[in-house]
Every structure is written in structure tokens, then in C-alpha cells.
Amino acid sequence: MKHFVILVAFLSIFNSCSKDAVVNDSMGYYGKWTLVKMSGSMANSETTGTAMEWQEFYLFNTNGTFTKSRERNAIKTTISGTYVTSIHSDGMYLELTYPNDSEIIGSCYGNQKEMLYFTDNNNLSNTWKSCDGPGLEYKK
């Protein structure tokens, strides 16, 4: 019994840490995710559809690569990169890494990475909003 308690305690501590997950489609994230909602830090600043400042989508491939495309003022910008999944205490995240800098990378840190997470309603949302960027929500 003592060994069982130690094993359960060890597994609980080990499992609570963040870790990279094997890329699988258990969350159904492969495919195209389209921007459906933008919000700012002020109340009632939510926009949807053609009223949004830009139109955008991510395309997640099964081989760990993705493409992001944005159209703003009739100018289309596209960039590709790689992604990994990670599990945190509040859910699953996609960490996107770009090969070079681009104006369409939404990051708090100015690096070539973005973080997206799954919301309770199985949409994707960005973490950029936590540092005064727009809140962006994507639907498959």
C-alpha cells in the first residue's frame, strides 16, 4: 500500500507539469481555422465577419507544419512554419514557430512564436490579448 501511495503522489506531481504532447488529432485541430471574432481591451469592441480589420486563417497539417494567411486592405500575406502541442494545467496549446519575422505574427514577445489555445467551446484563441494585442478567435 505504501508503494501505491508513493506511485500515485509521484504521478500526480509529474503529470501537473507542462509537457510537449505527441502531435495527434484528438482535439480535431488539423485543417483550416478561420478568424471569426476580434476583440479589444475596451468593452463592446468585438467585431465579426467583414467588419473585422482583417481576414485570416491557419491551416494545420498532420506533419507538424502550418500556414497562416491574412488579407488586409486587399493585400494578402502568407507565412508557414512548424508547430508543437503542449499540455498545461488549463488545457492544450499549439506553439507555432516561424522561420523569419512577419507583421502577421501575433506575439507578446516580439519573437517568431505564437501561442494558441483551445477554448471551452472548442475554438482556438490567441494569447496575444494578454499583452494588449487584439483577442482573436478562430473556428474550424
Side-chain angles (χ1 to χ4, degrees), residues 35 38 47-55 70-73 134:
L35 181 64
M38 298 178 87
T47 56
T48 59
T50 57
M52 294 185 298
E53 231 178 287
W54 63 78
Q55 302 298 309
R70 178 183 292 173
E71 187 170 335
R72 183 178 196 174
N73 299 326

Side-chain angles (χ1 to χ4, degrees), residues 16-134:
S16 68
C17 298
S18 162
K19 60 186 175 193
D20 284 343
V22 175
V23 175
N24 64 45
D25 198 23
S26 63
M27 293 293 292
Y29 59 84
Y30 296 144
K32 187 175 182 179
W33 291 81
T34 303
L35 181 64
V36 293
K37 182 169 54 173
M38 298 178 87
S39 60
S41 57
M42 297 177 61
N44 300 320
S45 63
E46 189 175 290
T47 56
T48 59
T50 57
M52 294 185 298
E53 231 178 287
W54 63 78
Q55 302 298 309
E56 174 173 283
F57 70 85
Y58 291 95
L59 180 61
F60 292 100
N61 302 307
T62 59
N63 65 356
T65 63
F66 73 94
T67 300
K68 181 178 184 179
S69 182
R70 178 183 292 173
E71 187 170 335
R72 183 178 196 174
N73 299 326
I75 298 170
K76 190 173 185 178
T77 306
T78 302
I79 188 168
S80 296
T82 59
Y83 70 93
V84 295
T85 60
S86 59
I87 305 297
H88 297 260
S89 60
D90 59 345
M92 188 169 115
Y93 285 71
L94 298 175
E95 181 180 320
L96 287 55
T97 303
Y98 295 88
N100 47 43
D101 201 19
S102 173
E103 65 184 21
I104 69 172
I105 299 173
S107 173
C108 293
Y109 307 108
N111 58 9
Q112 293 160 252
K113 292 187 181 283
E114 276 185 318
M115 293 290 285
L116 302 171
Y117 65 92
F118 289 91
T119 64
D120 291 339
N121 58 356
N122 291 323
N123 288 342
L124 273 177
S125 188
N126 68 335
T127 60
W128 192 17
K129 62 186 169 190
S130 65
C131 59
D132 295 330

